Amino acid sequence: MHERSSTGELVKSLKGELDRYSVGEKLPSSRALVERFRVSPVTVARALAQLAAEGLVVTRPGAGTFRARPLMAPPPAGDTSWQEVALSADAATEVVPRAVDASGVLVTLAAPPPGVVEFNGGYLHPTLQPEQAMAAALARAGRRPGAWGRPPMDGLPELRDWFARGIGAGVTAADVLITAGGQSALTTALRALAPPGAPVLVESPTYPGMLAIARASGLRPVPVPGDPQGVRPELLAAAFAATGARVFVTQPLFQNPTGTVLTPERRAEVLRIVHAAGAFVVEDDFARRLVHDDAGPLPPPLAADDPDGVVVHVCSLTKVTSPSLRVGALVARGPVLERLRAIHVVDNFFVPRPLQEAALELVGSPAWSRHLRSISGELRSRRDAMTAALRLGLPQLALPHVPSGGYHLWLRLPDGTDESALVSAALRAGVAVAPGRPYFSAEPPAGHIRLSFAGVAGAAEIAEGVRRLQTACEEIAG
């Protein structure tokens, strides 16, 4: 059972018993709760902390936990209907929209209900996260001299140097800005490189979070289709010519959602086309540390082949560690770096120093290389388990590419399948999947779903999730 579901069940049980205690009366000890409910001390601590946060109990160190005085009833709700007018006034003339559609992002951020198999996740399952190493790193970081002081605006020099060395080819710490994860870095890059109303070229399909950033910034995403070798250069050149765009956003390594890798021949062609257009490439290198252990040598980042400052590189530690370790980097050369720096400072000031210090402690520890090796094997194992289960139980779902990195599979639905109906039926059957529609900036050529194999506990849960998905497919097939 997941820790979060155990905590929720314990909170529910304790709430049901609170009326047995008078105000100020002591509740059973943590040890007694552990024995009675057969849960871990961590679960008990989290449940009591949640009750305290809700004002239902009071904890006194060394004394115990006591029932709190009931809170006064909240005042009656006011009338907020006036906000509909205020928020929608002049919406038709807005260059940068105030209303933002986050639905495509929330699909992979929101945790499904307890008992639902999480095939829609965008992060590692807790059992795959280096929790002990991160906790140790955070503890060491908190004791560093100056750890709670103001960091340099660009980030800690040692951390910037670590990111620079990961790219190579003459990239230095001076070319790096530390950001609050990849999403923040992408937001800064798009705001810096394209004015509101401008077109921005994107792969089709592509990451919904990037499409949401573009639209929230008032940009017009223009799709450029790809194939198993990555984005198609002739279509990229045609899109630049037709739109006058000055930005192309790409994930050349284990692209989300297709999992494809841009071939060496196309890498050079893409850089040549973008350079000739007087444009920038935003390289979202999100999956480099999610390589599977059966992959061959990885190509270097596009930024390593770019002496002229065409590439603005984005990378992050979040995907390979934890959704809460939001530490990433923006890498650029030339005058654009100053614009990126200015926007980043205005929007964020800086990334909290303790988090940067913890990231530095983590990547400098022996546990880091062990974690990367472990993840490489675990992701490959889960990928193989999901691929085998799909081919056996759902052969009608086309799997055009089995990736050697990343954490998901991209499946094409049979012609005529109602994508929304399948997603809803899957949830009723107890498995959450990501619909394909949010990955397209224009009308999709077919129905798709994306299945993550990283957010589950292991092969047994993958098999059960595919079985439930099979039930959903049978339901909508009639």
Side-chain angles (χ1 to χ4, degrees):
M1 181 180 293
H2 291 178
E3 191 71 51
R4 68 182 179 217
S5 61
S6 299
T7 301
E9 291 172 6
L10 181 55
V11 167
K12 184 178 179 181
S13 297
L14 293 177
K15 282 182 177 180
E17 298 181 357
L18 278 181
D19 286 340
R20 300 180 186 176
Y21 302 90
S22 58
V23 173
E25 186 177 352
K26 186 176 180 179
L27 273 65
S29 68
S30 294
R31 178 178 296 178
L33 293 175
V34 166
E35 294 176 354
R36 178 183 168 195
F37 290 98
R38 299 185 181 276
V39 294
S40 71
V42 172
T43 297
V44 170
R46 289 177 175 173
L48 293 177
Q50 183 172 329
L51 292 176
E54 295 179 19
L56 299 175
V57 301
V58 175
T59 57
R60 298 171 188 161
T65 303
F66 304 81
R67 184 175 179 184
R69 186 175 301 278
L71 298 175
M72 295 180 61
D79 180 8
T80 60
S81 58
W82 65 272
Q83 293 185 6
E84 294 185 41
V85 177
L87 292 174
S88 61
D90 301 322
T93 62
E94 290 177 353
V95 178
V96 179
R98 288 175 291 164
V100 176
D101 181 6
S103 57
V105 181
L106 292 174
V107 167
T108 57
L109 290 181
V116 173
V117 176
E118 190 172 357
F119 279 173
N120 63 328
Y123 299 105
L124 297 179
H125 188 268
T127 58
L128 297 180
Q129 296 174 19
E131 289 190 353
Q132 291 186 349
M134 290 188 294
L138 188 60
R140 293 193 301 270
R143 296 191 296 267
R144 282 188 171 197
W148 296 93
R150 181 175 58 196
M153 295 295 180
D154 291 356
L156 297 180
E158 302 91 340
L159 188 57
R160 294 162 61 202
D161 181 66
W162 182 84
F163 277 111
R165 284 186 278 111
I167 298 173
V171 175
T172 69
D175 304 319
V176 179
L177 302 175
I178 300 300
T179 67
Q183 189 78 354
S184 174
L186 286 171
T187 301
T188 298
L190 288 184
R191 283 190 57 198
L193 300 177
V200 55
L201 305 186
V202 301
E203 294 169 321
S204 183
T206 192
Y207 167 52
M210 189 277 300
L211 293 177
I213 293 170
R215 290 168 178 146
S217 302
L219 305 178
R220 295 186 292 110
V222 177
V224 183
D227 59 26
Q229 300 179 68
V231 68
R232 292 172 55 184
E234 76 279 10
L235 296 181
L236 179 64
F240 272 120
T243 65
R246 290 293 179 266
V247 181
F248 170 50
V249 185
T250 181
Q251 294 174 327
L253 187 65
F254 309 132
Q255 196 259 358
N256 183 8
T258 64
T260 57
V261 176
L262 190 64
T263 62
E265 298 77 17
R266 290 195 181 181
R267 286 167 57 91
E269 187 69 1
V270 164
L271 287 176
R272 184 194 65 77
I273 290 169
V274 178
H275 197 296
F280 290 96
V281 173
V282 177
E283 178 186 24
D284 182 8
D285 198 24
F286 78 103
R288 183 164 297 274
R289 297 177 181 88
L290 297 173
V291 61
H292 304 168
D293 64 6
D294 59 351
L298 296 185
L302 291 178
D305 296 333
D306 168 46
D308 301 322
V310 172
V311 178
V312 173
H313 179 88
V314 172
C315 59
S316 170
L317 293 175
T318 305
K319 289 295 187 186
V320 75
T321 56
S322 159
S324 289
L325 188 60
R326 305 206 63 77
V327 175
L330 260 175
V331 183
R333 291 167 166 167
V336 71
L337 182 61
E338 184 55 41
R339 182 179 292 185
L340 292 166
R341 178 184 292 115
I343 292 175
H344 178 256
V345 167
V346 168
D347 284 352
N348 305 287
F349 287 2
F350 42 73
V351 176
R353 183 161 188 157
L355 203 56
Q356 294 191 56
E357 297 277 10
L360 194 57
E361 285 280 356
L362 178 64
V363 300
S365 70
W368 178 243
S369 58
R370 291 197 298 269
H371 171 63
L372 293 182
R373 288 194 299 271
S374 173
I375 284 297
S376 183
E378 290 289 348
L379 289 179
R380 187 263 308 157
S381 176
R382 284 163 170 74
R383 178 206 66 194
D384 290 349
M386 180 174 279
T387 301
L390 287 168
R391 286 175 171 165
L392 179 64
L394 288 167
Q396 69 270 34
L397 303 186
L399 179 59
H401 178 72
V402 177
S404 56
Y407 54 89
H408 56 264
L409 299 179
W410 181 241
L411 299 163
R412 176 169 174 155
L413 306 180
D415 291 343
T417 302
D418 187 326
E419 180 183 295
S420 297
L422 176 58
V423 172
S424 298
L427 194 57
R428 289 193 298 272
V431 56
V433 304
R437 182 64 186 87
Y439 291 82
F440 293 91
S441 59
E443 292 78 7
H448 293 80
I449 56 172
R450 197 196 74 162
L451 305 183
S452 169
F453 46 78
V456 294
E461 192 169 5
I462 287 173
E464 175 60 18
V466 172
R467 187 194 66 77
R468 296 179 184 184
L469 183 57
Q470 185 176 4
T471 299
C473 289
E474 292 170 353
E475 176 188 327
I476 67 168

